[in-house]
């Protein structure tokens, strides 16, 4: 939780700064896009580590790991975008 909640969120701002990119004008949408991009981590690392294969194709019957990770990462990205938007105001 600390890695994803803090470390990866700081990585978002750090990568933008090191690359010389400015923050997106619409910080909430930039955060949502970041959250969608972080869905690749469980799809390609976590689910295969569980033995479910990439994108959770061999997961238990009735589970939809692909959808579950996407649905959980979009609000995470929205939160990152909200913090970035509030931080830019202060």
């Amino acid at each position: 939780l600390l890695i994803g909640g803090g470390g990866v969120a700081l990585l978002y701002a750090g990568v933008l700064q090191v690359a010389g990119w400015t923050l997106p004008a619409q910080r909430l949408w930039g955060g949502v896009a970041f959250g969608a991009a972080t869905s690749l981590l469980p799809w390609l690392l976590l689910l295969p580590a569980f033995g479910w294969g990439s994108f959770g194709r061999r997961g238990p019957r009735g589970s939809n790991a692909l959808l579950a990770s996407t649905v959980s990462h979009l609000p995470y990205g929205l939160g990152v975008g909200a913090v970035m938007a509030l931080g830019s105001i202060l």
Side-chain angles (χ1 to χ4, degrees):
L1 186 59
L2 290 175
I3 291 170
V8 177
L10 290 174
L11 185 67
Y12 171 61
V15 166
L16 290 178
Q17 184 175 9
V18 168
W21 297 336
T22 59
L23 286 172
Q26 297 294 325
R27 286 176 175 79
L28 290 178
W29 288 114
V32 171
F34 173 71
T38 60
S39 292
L40 290 172
L41 296 171
W43 295 346
L44 300 174
L45 295 174
L46 183 70
L47 296 174
F50 287 160
W52 293 5
S54 56
F55 301 101
R57 292 173 299 172
R58 290 178 283 167
R61 183 177 288 265
S63 70
N64 193 343
L66 188 66
L67 179 64
S69 64
T70 304
V71 167
S72 64
H73 280 105
L74 290 178
Y76 164 73
L78 184 62
V80 169
V83 168
M84 298 294 274
L86 288 174
S88 70
I89 294 170
L90 300 174

